[in-house]
Amino acid sequence: MSDTRIPSRAMTLSVIVPVYNAGSLVDRCLQSLVDQDFPQLEIILVDDGSTDGSGSACDRWAQRHPQVKVVHQANQGLSMARNAGLAIARGEAVTFVDADDAVDRSTYAQVVPLLSGEVDMVEYPVLCGWQGPHPRLLSFPCRTYADGRSYWWQSQAYAHTYAWNKVYRRSLFREVRFPEGLVFEDAHTLPLILSRVRRVATTDKGCYLYYSNPGGITARATGKQLQSLLTAHLTHWDPSLDARFYARLLNIQIDVCRLTAAPPQLPALLPRGMNRCGALGCIKILLANILGIQCLCKLHRLVRHR
């Protein structure tokens, strides 16, 4: 059994939980937070204009637990709810939890102490599809990266830009906020955080319990929303540096072309490391260079409708 005892001077942590019509799931989420083996905890619930009684549930938790604070605001979306929590957070470290998810009891006791020395952000495992028929663990090696750029490429962070399975020094958000009105807000925000970190650590300790929602944004994203995701990546990162990253962007671009009439944003090129992106990825990249991305999108559309 792992030792989850807290050092005598542990860093304080603010947990920001946006809540919007979460129903009974908010109780499951908050129970997992108040049960944490980590006493230096501030839990900030941001009721984002809920109409189903979730706001009243937040108030009841605050009445019973002094570490819980509640902010009520008109509905403004996930980004603005997180930003409202950041505005009043007082912990030296900060993290985020979605109201339909939960956090394993020993997580913060194991992860927060890793924010030591020059480490400004720690990423920890996720159990995807928690409480579903086929849960999948996304874990990480116990490793420290020299800077945010090394972490992005070497850990393939573009595949897990989630805000919620990470603990950050709150100072990283001094000049950073989540973008208003955008979906895939994490992909827009993480590069800004990585440009400010000194070092990043990953760990196999702790676990974020992610409740997969088949009706969630990833499953029902529009072409415009996927275009915003593609823009977020292209704004901050050079796709020629890694074939696996480029192949991922190419798949997004194909979906954007399928759902919109917009011309391709992604340039056709041969990125580094073609031997690392798998056979299908290599074929798509080569076809994009031979036929052009627009023709590849049309070919993909024909194959899809056969």
Side-chain angles (χ1 to χ4, degrees):
M1 183 175 179
S2 61
D3 185 355
T4 60
R5 291 174 294 179
I6 309 299
S8 58
R9 176 58 184 93
M11 187 176 287
T12 55
L13 175 67
S14 295
V15 183
I16 297 172
V17 186
V19 179
Y20 178 71
N21 290 354
S24 61
L25 298 180
V26 71
D27 292 321
R28 181 183 69 185
C29 172
L30 298 182
Q31 191 65 59
S32 79
L33 297 180
V34 300
D35 286 347
Q36 287 291 309
D37 297 327
F38 190 85
Q40 292 91 341
L41 202 63
E42 173 189 55
I43 302 170
I44 301 173
L45 311 179
V46 183
D47 168 34
D48 191 39
S50 296
T51 59
D52 69 342
S54 295
S56 298
C58 291
D59 290 333
R60 289 194 295 273
W61 279 91
Q63 290 166 6
R64 297 199 305 267
H65 300 277
Q67 72 270 44
V68 177
K69 301 177 181 178
V70 182
V71 175
H72 296 282
Q73 64 180 31
N75 180 247
Q76 300 177 58
L78 176 61
S79 285
M80 297 305 286
R82 286 176 175 169
N83 292 342
L86 284 168
I88 67 167
R90 293 296 175 263
E92 297 160 273
V94 65
T95 191
F96 305 92
V97 176
D98 286 353
D100 52 354
D101 298 335
V103 181
D104 188 70
R105 180 171 188 159
S106 64
T107 295
Y108 297 141
Q110 297 180 89
V111 173
V112 175
L114 300 178
L115 281 176
S116 61
E118 293 189 338
V119 173
D120 293 325
M121 187 184 92
V122 181
E123 181 171 35
Y124 63 92
V126 183
L127 185 60
C128 304
W130 170 61
Q131 294 200 333
H134 305 292
R136 176 179 63 86
L137 182 65
L138 172 63
S139 192
F140 305 96
C142 294
R143 180 174 176 183
T144 299
Y145 296 85
D147 51 36
R149 184 181 180 84
S150 300
Y151 159 77
W152 177 266
W153 295 117
Q154 294 173 26
S155 78
Q156 300 179 62
Y158 45 81
H160 41 92
T161 60
Y162 325 117
W164 28 253
N165 72 318
K166 301 170 180 70
V167 174
Y168 319 79
R169 290 189 193 272
R170 184 165 60 89
S171 58
L172 294 174
F173 286 92
R174 190 172 293 129
E175 297 176 350
V176 174
R177 289 295 185 267
F178 290 92
E180 181 178 2
L182 294 179
V183 298
F184 299 113
E185 58 286 319
D186 297 349
H188 287 270
T189 306
L190 182 60
L192 302 178
I193 293 297
L194 294 182
S195 70
R196 289 162 170 79
V197 299
R198 291 168 296 174
R199 296 180 184 273
V200 177
T202 57
T203 181
D204 60 1
K205 304 296 191 295
C207 193
Y208 187 93
L209 304 173
Y210 173 67
Y211 177 75
S212 296
N213 180 2
I217 184 60
T218 303
R220 56 182 175 81
T222 66
K224 184 177 179 180
Q225 290 166 342
L226 288 170
Q227 195 166 32
S228 174
L229 174 61
L230 186 59
T231 298
H233 286 312
L234 290 175
T235 297
H236 297 283
W237 307 104
D238 181 353
S240 71
L241 296 180
D242 189 291
R244 292 169 299 184
F245 180 52
Y246 184 86
R248 188 177 187 88
L249 297 190
L250 184 55
N251 285 333
I252 298 171
Q253 180 66 82
I254 289 171
D255 284 337
V256 171
C257 289
R258 176 174 58 86
L259 295 168
T260 73
Q265 288 176 263
L266 185 67
L269 52 83
L270 291 174
R272 299 178 192 171
M274 289 284 285
N275 60 321
R276 297 197 305 267
C277 71
L280 182 57
C282 283
I283 291 170
K284 283 186 177 180
I285 292 172
L286 291 172
L287 286 174
N289 280 270
I290 294 169
L291 303 176
I293 290 182
Q294 196 137 23
C295 287
L296 177 62
C297 292
K298 291 178 181 177
L299 178 62
H300 186 271
R301 191 180 298 117
L302 288 173
V303 172
R304 184 184 176 91
H305 287 92
R306 284 189 63 180

